[in-house]
Amino acid sequence: MTEKFFTEPILNSPYEEPRCHWELNSEGQPTQKIINGRREADFTVAAVPAPQKSKGKPKQESEQQDLGFFQDDVTQSISADGRKYELAQIINSLRNEVSKWRSSGYAGGKITPETGRLLNHWHNFQFSGIRPFFCQIEAVEVAIWLTEVAPTTAKGRHFIDYLNRHNEVANPGLNRIALKLATGAGKTAVMAMLIAWQTVNAVRYPNSPKFTKGFLVIAPGITIKDRLRVLLPTDPESYYQSRQLVPQDMLRDVQRAKIVITNYHAFKQRETQDIAKGTRGLLKGRTGSSPNTLETEGQMIQRAMGDLMGQKNIIVFNDEGHHCYRVKPSDQQDIELQEGETKGEAGREAEENNEAARLWISGLEMIQKKQNILRIFDLSATPFFLRGSGEPEGTLFPWTMSDFSLMDAIECGIVKVPRVPIADNLPDSTTIMPKFRELWKHIGKHMPKKGRVSFDPATLEGNPSLRLLLDAITALYGHYEKISAQWEESGQIVPPCFILVCNNTSTSKLLYDYISGYATQDGRAVKGMYSLFSNYDDNGNPHPRARTILVDSRQLESGDKLPDDFRKIYSAEIDRFKYQARERGGALADQLRQGKDIDDATLLREVMNTVGKPNSLGGGIRCVVSVSMLTEGWDANNVTHILGVRAFGTQLLCEQVIGRALRRRSYELNENGLFTPEYADVLGIPFDFTAEPVVAPARPPTDSIKVHAIRPERDQWEITFPRVVGYRLELPKEKIRAEFDKDSEMELSTLITGRPTETKVSGIAGQSNELEVKYQTRNRRKSLIMDIALHCLRTKWPSNDGSLPMHLYGQLMIIVEKWMDECFKASGGYTEFNLTEPTNLSIATEKIYAAIVRAGLSDSKGGDPPVTAILDSYSPTGSTNTVNFQTSKKTRWTPTTKCHLNYLIYHAEWEPDFCRVAEDHPKVKAYVKNYSLGFEVPYSYGGEQKIYIPDFVVKIDDGRGEQDLLNLIVEIKGQRDETDKAKSEAIKNFWLPGINRLKTYGRWDFVEIGDIYKIRDVLDRVSY
């Protein structure tokens, strides 16, 4: 058997619908066989062992629900998994409907033109950074189809009826849809795309009941809440602009969205008066009842909703929505126990889950009483019911409408591949699961209970019951050392990150002290057992930068103050981070220097949020010891190793913990158009699909850098530019003429069209034959000229009342005939009559129209040109100042002078040569590569509106002095094709005259450089 699943797991492009998948057997294990076609949703095969049941009353099978119109004999025959089977059928059927709709070009449904344009943008726009993954677009397509298409079709109404039926049972009065995307697939971008779709339509169709401009985004904790600020259109790193998720001209519509981001803890009604416990008891003794000082529901909603108060309709996004459900009463079954777990621990976890779920769902129900919630979108990698919900743990929400599983994400390369790098060498290793994967099963009963530390870290090694735990840490640490050395040799700025996920505070404190070191009661410092993780050096002195941190996720995420005992225990670590904050500078340092103390929880969240980010408070963290679950949504991409020191039993728990290590570092495609596999090594988590103990060859890590403006040191080299969204023309109304040049030329041939006109056919033996494509021709050339002239008139001289300036028709016919005589060529079986094909007709029209505009520019010498640029009304000016993005591209130039940015990302081989010449050339005063800069030139080609992104913008002294520099747009170009001609015509005939007419952005010009050896000569000759 080959091991290709582990060494070459990626089969599909992340930007296309999956075309094949790895076959899994009934136990969820890969058979190493590749199956053509997309993997179907299937929730009847578990990827992990079933949990051990407790000793108590046998669990009663839940009553089967009505399976709706998907019910069939097969479903009827399934008892235990009937609900899972039904949900899989729902998701697969809806997936097929959306796929057919997509393949038809979104025909057959009454979507708005704005929706259609956004869908086309997400699929086809040439994004300068990470473009939307297929799974992200599909999730949005499902939401759009159910909103705009489903109500108009009989089959669509069946899906709506299914949703309504299940929501009425589980979420009375609330309209919920769950979108399931694997961890690392980018749920935040999906929310941004949904917000853009809703807002643009709400602005342009204000009376439509389907759309809204109001959005409430609810997170499970403060860390995710802080990270979700990119959903705000006004945020400097807003996804709508930084990730180009909406066309430039729609940005101003998105700005009108009202978005409130909160965490579900805000739904807890707070005390309005601070009454001491003794005073409260005294008042109760006098009156017989305790005074009610809690907020009313209305006060809570007003505090939580903020700017959304008074909004007629809103949409709610539940990020990590599996925490939100109505608990189902269930006295007929006991909570299932996992290996090494006590009944008390299981009960406490269930009660914590239920308390969070009650608070979240109750808050939504209160809001629904006051304001109409159009729809609630639950986004989660694991939209399952949690322990204690009254449903079997790990049961999928029945309102889940799309699924892109972890296996799908692995096969598309969107996430790292979790793997077990070391095999057991025990005699029975071939028949039982390796002990390092079922770690808790063997050590759980020996670990300290909550609130009690049974072992001194100094004596931990002498405890035979926990020797297996230390062996697991040592084994994984040994592999971490190798990876760390690889990263350091390759010049990585941040170290890889190792995570331990523990079951309680006693375990986490014990392991934290053992790994990182600790101070004894007599003040003596003990170095940690693992040198790369130790916070102390060989002499017992603390390192200036902490290497290991201990976090209690629940305490940090609630937003409450840390308990006094927590601050006391970790006072040394907190003081160290305050010292680091002062040294690093910035807002936190300013607060500390002004005598303002920083809340300890805020400081620790800052450390956690910046793990893996260079030059930040958490940038040097190598190990994170976590109490209970690590923060969901924590997006550090340098996590390479995870050790689970707690009980696991369901896919939910396994996938949530492993998900913390799945975020990729590089999103660059390889030569096969696929992502290169990245790996996360995992012990202690029984995630079975990677059970094969294969050691895949180590790959050099990919360095990820942040490209940004260096401020204020390089502010003198800032470059600003106009954001143009279109053009307004004022051509002569009575008489027109045209000036043709090389860009006016057009040729039709097999080389250009890619379509053959001849082919040769032959049998195995005998005479061959040649087939020739004969295009239908017309008898009169005059008819062709008339058609082209009329098309030009209709598309370039439209009027509001539908009338056409027919007095220009005769002049256009003369211009068209001249263009055909002087500029058009056809060969290889093509003729001039192929110009009647729609794409060719549009290209010809655009070339003729550009020649007419060119003539208008010539005639206006000495006066205002007939073109005015239309600027983006919300953001008319762009700047190098706002550049801020992450990339792992290796094609990077490091400017030493004359550039505002720290790095320039280039495509063509010649571009570094241009950078080298620009930095050395005396005329060049500043320059920048136009990559994720936002500088775009709109143009038309083949009847479609497109965006041209020139290569460089250079500020150059062309003889008028440094107070009046020329802004030179530079294109580095080898061979030119028809689209290059269209771009050149657009910038010379429309963009340049339109901007120079405004006189508010200085002087602009354009040059193309087609010879690497003439770069300096071209810059020498520049003059306005």
Side-chain angles (χ1 to χ4, degrees), residues 683-701:
L683 293 184
I685 303 174
F687 202 70
D688 247 13
F689 82 85
T690 53
E692 185 74 18
V694 173
V695 181
R699 298 176 184 272

mmCIF file with all atom_site columns, all heavy atoms in Angstrom, residues 683-701:
data_model
loop_
_atom_site.group_PDB
_atom_site.id
_atom_site.type_symbol
_atom_site.label_atom_id
_atom_site.label_alt_id
_atom_site.label_comp_id
_atom_site.label_asym_id
_atom_site.label_entity_id
_atom_site.label_seq_id
_atom_site.pdbx_PDB_ins_code
_atom_site.Cartn_x
_atom_site.Cartn_y
_atom_site.Cartn_z
_atom_site.occupancy
_atom_site.B_iso_or_equiv
_atom_site.pdbx_formal_charge
_atom_site.auth_seq_id
_atom_site.auth_comp_id
_atom_site.auth_asym_id
_atom_site.auth_atom_id
_atom_site.pdbx_PDB_model_num
ATOM 1   N N   . LEU A 1 683 ? -0.188  14.860 19.346 1.00 0.00 ? 683 LEU A N   1
ATOM 2   C CA  . LEU A 1 683 ? -0.211  13.710 20.243 1.00 0.00 ? 683 LEU A CA  1
ATOM 3   C C   . LEU A 1 683 ? -1.308  13.925 21.283 1.00 0.00 ? 683 LEU A C   1
ATOM 4   O O   . LEU A 1 683 ? -1.631  15.070 21.630 1.00 0.00 ? 683 LEU A O   1
ATOM 5   C CB  . LEU A 1 683 ? 1.132   13.527 20.955 1.00 0.00 ? 683 LEU A CB  1
ATOM 6   C CG  . LEU A 1 683 ? 2.353   13.132 20.116 1.00 0.00 ? 683 LEU A CG  1
ATOM 7   C CD1 . LEU A 1 683 ? 3.550   12.906 21.024 1.00 0.00 ? 683 LEU A CD1 1
ATOM 8   C CD2 . LEU A 1 683 ? 2.088   11.913 19.276 1.00 0.00 ? 683 LEU A CD2 1
ATOM 9   N N   . GLY A 1 684 ? -1.843  12.829 21.789 1.00 0.00 ? 684 GLY A N   1
ATOM 10  C CA  . GLY A 1 684 ? -2.826  12.920 22.873 1.00 0.00 ? 684 GLY A CA  1
ATOM 11  C C   . GLY A 1 684 ? -4.231  13.202 22.419 1.00 0.00 ? 684 GLY A C   1
ATOM 12  O O   . GLY A 1 684 ? -5.124  13.372 23.249 1.00 0.00 ? 684 GLY A O   1
ATOM 13  N N   . ILE A 1 685 ? -4.461  13.261 21.115 1.00 0.00 ? 685 ILE A N   1
ATOM 14  C CA  . ILE A 1 685 ? -5.806  13.522 20.587 1.00 0.00 ? 685 ILE A CA  1
ATOM 15  C C   . ILE A 1 685 ? -6.146  12.387 19.634 1.00 0.00 ? 685 ILE A C   1
ATOM 16  O O   . ILE A 1 685 ? -5.508  12.252 18.583 1.00 0.00 ? 685 ILE A O   1
ATOM 17  C CB  . ILE A 1 685 ? -5.876  14.882 19.871 1.00 0.00 ? 685 ILE A CB  1
ATOM 18  C CG1 . ILE A 1 685 ? -5.451  16.006 20.830 1.00 0.00 ? 685 ILE A CG1 1
ATOM 19  C CG2 . ILE A 1 685 ? -7.282  15.143 19.345 1.00 0.00 ? 685 ILE A CG2 1
ATOM 20  C CD1 . ILE A 1 685 ? -5.357  17.367 20.195 1.00 0.00 ? 685 ILE A CD1 1
ATOM 21  N N   . PRO A 1 686 ? -7.133  11.562 19.960 1.00 0.00 ? 686 PRO A N   1
ATOM 22  C CA  . PRO A 1 686 ? -7.411  10.372 19.144 1.00 0.00 ? 686 PRO A CA  1
ATOM 23  C C   . PRO A 1 686 ? -8.147  10.704 17.862 1.00 0.00 ? 686 PRO A C   1
ATOM 24  O O   . PRO A 1 686 ? -9.271  10.256 17.640 1.00 0.00 ? 686 PRO A O   1
ATOM 25  C CB  . PRO A 1 686 ? -8.276  9.519  20.087 1.00 0.00 ? 686 PRO A CB  1
ATOM 26  C CG  . PRO A 1 686 ? -8.968  10.505 20.953 1.00 0.00 ? 686 PRO A CG  1
ATOM 27  C CD  . PRO A 1 686 ? -7.996  11.635 21.150 1.00 0.00 ? 686 PRO A CD  1
ATOM 28  N N   . PHE A 1 687 ? -7.516  11.449 17.019 1.00 0.00 ? 687 PHE A N   1
ATOM 29  C CA  . PHE A 1 687 ? -8.106  11.824 15.739 1.00 0.00 ? 687 PHE A CA  1
ATOM 30  C C   . PHE A 1 687 ? -7.680  10.785 14.724 1.00 0.00 ? 687 PHE A C   1
ATOM 31  O O   . PHE A 1 687 ? -6.537  10.754 14.294 1.00 0.00 ? 687 PHE A O   1
ATOM 32  C CB  . PHE A 1 687 ? -7.618  13.219 15.344 1.00 0.00 ? 687 PHE A CB  1
ATOM 33  C CG  . PHE A 1 687 ? -8.518  13.898 14.365 1.00 0.00 ? 687 PHE A CG  1
ATOM 34  C CD1 . PHE A 1 687 ? -9.769  14.336 14.750 1.00 0.00 ? 687 PHE A CD1 1
ATOM 35  C CD2 . PHE A 1 687 ? -8.125  14.092 13.054 1.00 0.00 ? 687 PHE A CD2 1
ATOM 36  C CE1 . PHE A 1 687 ? -10.603 14.971 13.853 1.00 0.00 ? 687 PHE A CE1 1
ATOM 37  C CE2 . PHE A 1 687 ? -8.954  14.718 12.154 1.00 0.00 ? 687 PHE A CE2 1
ATOM 38  C CZ  . PHE A 1 687 ? -10.197 15.165 12.559 1.00 0.00 ? 687 PHE A CZ  1
ATOM 39  N N   . ASP A 1 688 ? -8.599  9.924  14.319 1.00 0.00 ? 688 ASP A N   1
ATOM 40  C CA  . ASP A 1 688 ? -8.215  8.664  13.718 1.00 0.00 ? 688 ASP A CA  1
ATOM 41  C C   . ASP A 1 688 ? -7.858  8.686  12.248 1.00 0.00 ? 688 ASP A C   1
ATOM 42  O O   . ASP A 1 688 ? -7.214  7.777  11.770 1.00 0.00 ? 688 ASP A O   1
ATOM 43  C CB  . ASP A 1 688 ? -9.346  7.646  13.917 1.00 0.00 ? 688 ASP A CB  1
ATOM 44  C CG  . ASP A 1 688 ? -8.911  6.535  14.842 1.00 0.00 ? 688 ASP A CG  1
ATOM 45  O OD1 . ASP A 1 688 ? -7.879  6.700  15.485 1.00 0.00 ? 688 ASP A OD1 1
ATOM 46  O OD2 . ASP A 1 688 ? -9.610  5.525  14.904 1.00 0.00 ? 688 ASP A OD2 1
ATOM 47  N N   . PHE A 1 689 ? -8.288  9.685  11.492 1.00 0.00 ? 689 PHE A N   1
ATOM 48  C CA  . PHE A 1 689 ? -8.021  9.563  10.058 1.00 0.00 ? 689 PHE A CA  1
ATOM 49  C C   . PHE A 1 689 ? -6.539  9.707  9.749  1.00 0.00 ? 689 PHE A C   1
ATOM 50  O O   . PHE A 1 689 ? -6.092  9.355  8.676  1.00 0.00 ? 689 PHE A O   1
ATOM 51  C CB  . PHE A 1 689 ? -8.859  10.560 9.240  1.00 0.00 ? 689 PHE A CB  1
ATOM 52  C CG  . PHE A 1 689 ? -8.300  11.933 9.166  1.00 0.00 ? 689 PHE A CG  1
ATOM 53  C CD1 . PHE A 1 689 ? -7.349  12.268 8.215  1.00 0.00 ? 689 PHE A CD1 1
ATOM 54  C CD2 . PHE A 1 689 ? -8.728  12.918 10.027 1.00 0.00 ? 689 PHE A CD2 1
ATOM 55  C CE1 . PHE A 1 689 ? -6.831  13.548 8.127  1.00 0.00 ? 689 PHE A CE1 1
ATOM 56  C CE2 . PHE A 1 689 ? -8.213  14.202 9.947  1.00 0.00 ? 689 PHE A CE2 1
ATOM 57  C CZ  . PHE A 1 689 ? -7.269  14.515 9.010  1.00 0.00 ? 689 PHE A CZ  1
ATOM 58  N N   . THR A 1 690 ? -5.746  10.211 10.695 1.00 0.00 ? 690 THR A N   1
ATOM 59  C CA  . THR A 1 690 ? -4.292  10.244 10.506 1.00 0.00 ? 690 THR A CA  1
ATOM 60  C C   . THR A 1 690 ? -3.606  9.191  11.355 1.00 0.00 ? 690 THR A C   1
ATOM 61  O O   . THR A 1 690 ? -2.500  9.387  11.826 1.00 0.00 ? 690 THR A O   1
ATOM 62  C CB  . THR A 1 690 ? -3.733  11.633 10.864 1.00 0.00 ? 690 THR A CB  1
ATOM 63  O OG1 . THR A 1 690 ? -4.181  11.967 12.190 1.00 0.00 ? 690 THR A OG1 1
ATOM 64  C CG2 . THR A 1 690 ? -4.190  12.690 9.913  1.00 0.00 ? 690 THR A CG2 1
ATOM 65  N N   . ALA A 1 691 ? -4.277  8.071  11.528 1.00 0.00 ? 691 ALA A N   1
ATOM 66  C CA  . ALA A 1 691 ? -3.748  7.074  12.437 1.00 0.00 ? 691 ALA A CA  1
ATOM 67  C C   . ALA A 1 691 ? -2.483  6.407  11.908 1.00 0.00 ? 691 ALA A C   1
ATOM 68  O O   . ALA A 1 691 ? -1.686  5.893  12.665 1.00 0.00 ? 691 ALA A O   1
ATOM 69  C CB  . ALA A 1 691 ? -4.805  6.010  12.716 1.00 0.00 ? 691 ALA A CB  1
ATOM 70  N N   . GLU A 1 692 ? -2.314  6.356  10.615 1.00 0.00 ? 692 GLU A N   1
ATOM 71  C CA  . GLU A 1 692 ? -1.132  5.698  10.044 1.00 0.00 ? 692 GLU A CA  1
ATOM 72  C C   . GLU A 1 692 ? 0.124   6.454  10.477 1.00 0.00 ? 692 GLU A C   1
ATOM 73  O O   . GLU A 1 692 ? 0.280   7.641  10.205 1.00 0.00 ? 692 GLU A O   1
ATOM 74  C CB  . GLU A 1 692 ? -1.224  5.702  8.522  1.00 0.00 ? 692 GLU A CB  1
ATOM 75  C CG  . GLU A 1 692 ? -0.108  4.935  7.848  1.00 0.00 ? 692 GLU A CG  1
ATOM 76  C CD  . GLU A 1 692 ? -0.287  3.434  7.977  1.00 0.00 ? 692 GLU A CD  1
ATOM 77  O OE1 . GLU A 1 692 ? -1.400  2.989  8.280  1.00 0.00 ? 692 GLU A OE1 1
ATOM 78  O OE2 . GLU A 1 692 ? 0.691   2.713  7.774  1.00 0.00 ? 692 GLU A OE2 1
ATOM 79  N N   . PRO A 1 693 ? 1.047   5.813  11.205 1.00 0.00 ? 693 PRO A N   1
ATOM 80  C CA  . PRO A 1 693 ? 2.218   6.511  11.737 1.00 0.00 ? 693 PRO A CA  1
ATOM 81  C C   . PRO A 1 693 ? 3.269   6.750  10.673 1.00 0.00 ? 693 PRO A C   1
ATOM 82  O O   . PRO A 1 693 ? 4.300   6.095  10.638 1.00 0.00 ? 693 PRO A O   1
ATOM 83  C CB  . PRO A 1 693 ? 2.717   5.573  12.830 1.00 0.00 ? 693 PRO A CB  1
ATOM 84  C CG  . PRO A 1 693 ? 2.312   4.221  12.354 1.00 0.00 ? 693 PRO A CG  1
ATOM 85  C CD  . PRO A 1 693 ? 1.020   4.395  11.630 1.00 0.00 ? 693 PRO A CD  1
ATOM 86  N N   . VAL A 1 694 ? 2.992   7.683  9.778  1.00 0.00 ? 694 VAL A N   1
ATOM 87  C CA  . VAL A 1 694 ? 3.900   7.952  8.668  1.00 0.00 ? 694 VAL A CA  1
ATOM 88  C C   . VAL A 1 694 ? 4.693   9.217  8.958  1.00 0.00 ? 694 VAL A C   1
ATOM 89  O O   . VAL A 1 694 ? 4.143   10.218 9.383  1.00 0.00 ? 694 VAL A O   1
ATOM 90  C CB  . VAL A 1 694 ? 3.101   8.124  7.354  1.00 0.00 ? 694 VAL A CB  1
ATOM 91  C CG1 . VAL A 1 694 ? 4.028   8.562  6.237  1.00 0.00 ? 694 VAL A CG1 1
ATOM 92  C CG2 . VAL A 1 694 ? 2.407   6.817  7.000  1.00 0.00 ? 694 VAL A CG2 1
ATOM 93  N N   . VAL A 1 695 ? 5.958   9.168  8.732  1.00 0.00 ? 695 VAL A N   1
ATOM 94  C CA  . VAL A 1 695 ? 6.800   10.357 8.862  1.00 0.00 ? 695 VAL A CA  1
ATOM 95  C C   . VAL A 1 695 ? 6.989   10.943 7.466  1.00 0.00 ? 695 VAL A C   1
ATOM 96  O O   . VAL A 1 695 ? 7.759   10.435 6.664  1.00 0.00 ? 695 VAL A O   1
ATOM 97  C CB  . VAL A 1 695 ? 8.163   10.011 9.494  1.00 0.00 ? 695 VAL A CB  1
ATOM 98  C CG1 . VAL A 1 695 ? 9.006   11.265 9.628  1.00 0.00 ? 695 VAL A CG1 1
ATOM 99  C CG2 . VAL A 1 695 ? 7.956   9.359  10.853 1.00 0.00 ? 695 VAL A CG2 1
ATOM 100 N N   . ALA A 1 696 ? 6.232   11.999 7.157  1.00 0.00 ? 696 ALA A N   1
ATOM 101 C CA  . ALA A 1 696 ? 6.360   12.637 5.852  1.00 0.00 ? 696 ALA A CA  1
ATOM 102 C C   . ALA A 1 696 ? 7.643   13.450 5.829  1.00 0.00 ? 696 ALA A C   1
ATOM 103 O O   . ALA A 1 696 ? 8.086   13.952 6.854  1.00 0.00 ? 696 ALA A O   1
ATOM 104 C CB  . ALA A 1 696 ? 5.164   13.534 5.580  1.00 0.00 ? 696 ALA A CB  1
ATOM 105 N N   . PRO A 1 697 ? 8.274   13.568 4.680  1.00 0.00 ? 697 PRO A N   1
ATOM 106 C CA  . PRO A 1 697 ? 9.523   14.328 4.615  1.00 0.00 ? 697 PRO A CA  1
ATOM 107 C C   . PRO A 1 697 ? 9.315   15.775 5.030  1.00 0.00 ? 697 PRO A C   1
ATOM 108 O O   . PRO A 1 697 ? 8.334   16.404 4.657  1.00 0.00 ? 697 PRO A O   1
ATOM 109 C CB  . PRO A 1 697 ? 9.913   14.231 3.131  1.00 0.00 ? 697 PRO A CB  1
ATOM 110 C CG  . PRO A 1 697 ? 8.647   13.882 2.415  1.00 0.00 ? 697 PRO A CG  1
ATOM 111 C CD  . PRO A 1 697 ? 7.848   13.073 3.365  1.00 0.00 ? 697 PRO A CD  1
ATOM 112 N N   . ALA A 1 698 ? 10.232  16.274 5.836  1.00 0.00 ? 698 ALA A N   1
ATOM 113 C CA  . ALA A 1 698 ? 10.121  17.656 6.301  1.00 0.00 ? 698 ALA A CA  1
ATOM 114 C C   . ALA A 1 698 ? 10.324  18.618 5.139  1.00 0.00 ? 698 ALA A C   1
ATOM 115 O O   . ALA A 1 698 ? 11.166  18.402 4.277  1.00 0.00 ? 698 ALA A O   1
ATOM 116 C CB  . ALA A 1 698 ? 11.159  17.923 7.389  1.00 0.00 ? 698 ALA A CB  1
ATOM 117 N N   . ARG A 1 699 ? 9.531   19.668 5.139  1.00 0.00 ? 699 ARG A N   1
ATOM 118 C CA  . ARG A 1 699 ? 9.656   20.687 4.098  1.00 0.00 ? 699 ARG A CA  1
ATOM 119 C C   . ARG A 1 699 ? 10.124  21.981 4.745  1.00 0.00 ? 699 ARG A C   1
ATOM 120 O O   . ARG A 1 699 ? 9.730   22.302 5.863  1.00 0.00 ? 699 ARG A O   1
ATOM 121 C CB  . ARG A 1 699 ? 8.320   20.929 3.405  1.00 0.00 ? 699 ARG A CB  1
ATOM 122 C CG  . ARG A 1 699 ? 7.773   19.699 2.698  1.00 0.00 ? 699 ARG A CG  1
ATOM 123 C CD  . ARG A 1 699 ? 6.393   19.972 2.105  1.00 0.00 ? 699 ARG A CD  1
ATOM 124 N NE  . ARG A 1 699 ? 5.815   18.785 1.507  1.00 0.00 ? 699 ARG A NE  1
ATOM 125 C CZ  . ARG A 1 699 ? 6.007   18.399 0.267  1.00 0.00 ? 699 ARG A CZ  1
ATOM 126 N NH1 . ARG A 1 699 ? 6.793   19.103 -0.519 1.00 0.00 ? 699 ARG A NH1 1
ATOM 127 N NH2 . ARG A 1 699 ? 5.434   17.302 -0.194 1.00 0.00 ? 699 ARG A NH2 1
ATOM 128 N N   . PRO A 1 700 ? 10.963  22.750 4.055  1.00 0.00 ? 700 PRO A N   1
ATOM 129 C CA  . PRO A 1 700 ? 11.383  24.030 4.621  1.00 0.00 ? 700 PRO A CA  1
ATOM 130 C C   . PRO A 1 700 ? 10.177  24.908 4.882  1.00 0.00 ? 700 PRO A C   1
ATOM 131 O O   . PRO A 1 700 ? 9.275   24.997 4.047  1.00 0.00 ? 700 PRO A O   1
ATOM 132 C CB  . PRO A 1 700 ? 12.276  24.631 3.513  1.00 0.00 ? 700 PRO A CB  1
ATOM 133 C CG  . PRO A 1 700 ? 12.672  23.465 2.673  1.00 0.00 ? 700 PRO A CG  1
ATOM 134 C CD  . PRO A 1 700 ? 11.550  22.489 2.743  1.00 0.00 ? 700 PRO A CD  1
ATOM 135 N N   . PRO A 1 701 ? 10.082  25.535 6.047  1.00 0.00 ? 701 PRO A N   1
ATOM 136 C CA  . PRO A 1 701 ? 8.930   26.390 6.335  1.00 0.00 ? 701 PRO A CA  1
ATOM 137 C C   . PRO A 1 701 ? 8.924   27.612 5.439  1.00 0.00 ? 701 PRO A C   1
ATOM 138 O O   . PRO A 1 701 ? 9.948   28.066 4.947  1.00 0.00 ? 701 PRO A O   1
ATOM 139 C CB  . PRO A 1 701 ? 9.151   26.785 7.801  1.00 0.00 ? 701 PRO A CB  1
ATOM 140 C CG  . PRO A 1 701 ? 10.622  26.649 8.015  1.00 0.00 ? 701 PRO A CG  1
ATOM 141 C CD  . PRO A 1 701 ? 11.064  25.515 7.138  1.00 0.00 ? 701 PRO A CD  1
#
